[in-house]
Amino acid sequence: MQMLCGAILKELRMETIGALLVLIVGSIAFTFGFSQNIYILILSWVLIYYGIKYSWGALRVQRVEDSDLMKILTHEPEKIVWVYSVVTNRMPFGFQFSKKGLMYFKMIDGNDMSLTMSEKELKVVSRFLNRLLPHATFGYSKEKEKQYLEDPKYLIRHDL
């Protein structure tokens, strides 16, 4: 559970930093582009708008317990019907640089969420989630994706 909470907290922090950067870039573009060019002015207003919008959303959720994924896992775990992960190897010039994983949570209503974590953490968190979500299907295949696209209810396990 600690690894999952750590990954959620890291995502929250990255969202906050990204939103604030968009706001700062928009503010700088507005300051320097105010009298220069109408397109820079319009771009700055768009950046400021989205910077404020995403900053507000990111700053509103700063505790792991308040994140959407944690709320679903603790209060409505039956909404999650499919969990799978994808590992990406970064190998510039043939040398392994890093392995990062992305864990996807697919919901019964068609929505999805994802979390970034290391390959080791993916395995541990996946084992934990197998116990927490016995009704959910785990692992990726084209067949499961097709079933999910047809009707997410097909992925609910009934062999409990």
Side-chain angles (χ1 to χ4, degrees):
M1 185 66 153
Q2 283 182 324
M3 287 183 186
L4 183 62
C5 290
I8 291 172
L9 186 61
K10 198 182 309 181
E11 290 276 326
L12 291 173
R13 288 179 180 160
M14 292 305 290
E15 287 175 11
T16 304
I17 290 169
L20 291 173
L21 282 175
V22 170
L23 182 60
I24 291 168
V25 168
S27 300
I28 291 170
F30 179 76
T31 302
F32 293 112
F34 187 70
S35 62
Q36 299 294 323
N37 189 332
I38 188 72
Y39 297 113
I40 294 175
L41 183 64
I42 293 169
L43 175 66
S44 68
W45 278 109
V46 169
L47 289 173
I48 289 171
Y49 169 76
Y50 283 108
I52 291 171
K53 178 181 175 183
Y54 291 124
S55 294
W56 180 258
L59 292 171
R60 188 175 46 88
V61 180
Q62 283 301 303
R63 294 184 346 190
V64 173
E65 300 83 30
D66 296 334
S67 71
D68 292 336
L69 181 58
M70 193 53 80
K71 285 179 184 176
I72 290 172
L73 285 171
T74 55
H75 302 296
E76 301 175 293
E78 65 279 352
K79 286 180 75 172
I80 300 173
V81 294
W82 186 24
V83 179
Y84 66 92
S85 55
V86 177
V87 177
T88 304
N89 288 321
R90 288 186 178 85
M91 298 181 64
F93 307 110
F95 298 106
Q96 184 172 340
F97 183 68
S98 69
K99 281 187 178 182
K100 279 291 182 186
L102 207 63
M103 182 169 278
Y104 291 94
F105 297 86
K106 301 284 189 170
M107 311 295 164
I108 199 161
D109 58 5
N111 291 328
D112 65 355
M113 295 180 185
S114 61
L115 271 180
T116 305
M117 56 185 86
S118 71
E119 183 183 23
K120 290 179 185 177
E121 290 174 328
L122 281 176
K123 291 177 183 177
V124 174
V125 170
S126 185
R127 273 188 252 131
F128 168 72
L129 290 173
N130 259 305
R131 292 189 304 272
L132 184 66
L133 306 168
H135 63 281
T137 300
F138 283 81
Y140 178 84
S141 72
K142 288 281 187 188
E143 181 181 311
K144 291 175 186 173
E145 182 178 21
K146 184 180 175 188
Q147 288 177 331
Y148 182 78
L149 291 174
E150 284 179 23
D151 188 3
K153 292 177 185 170
Y154 289 149
L155 292 175
I156 297 175
R157 290 186 358 203
H158 299 286
D159 58 336
L160 303 176

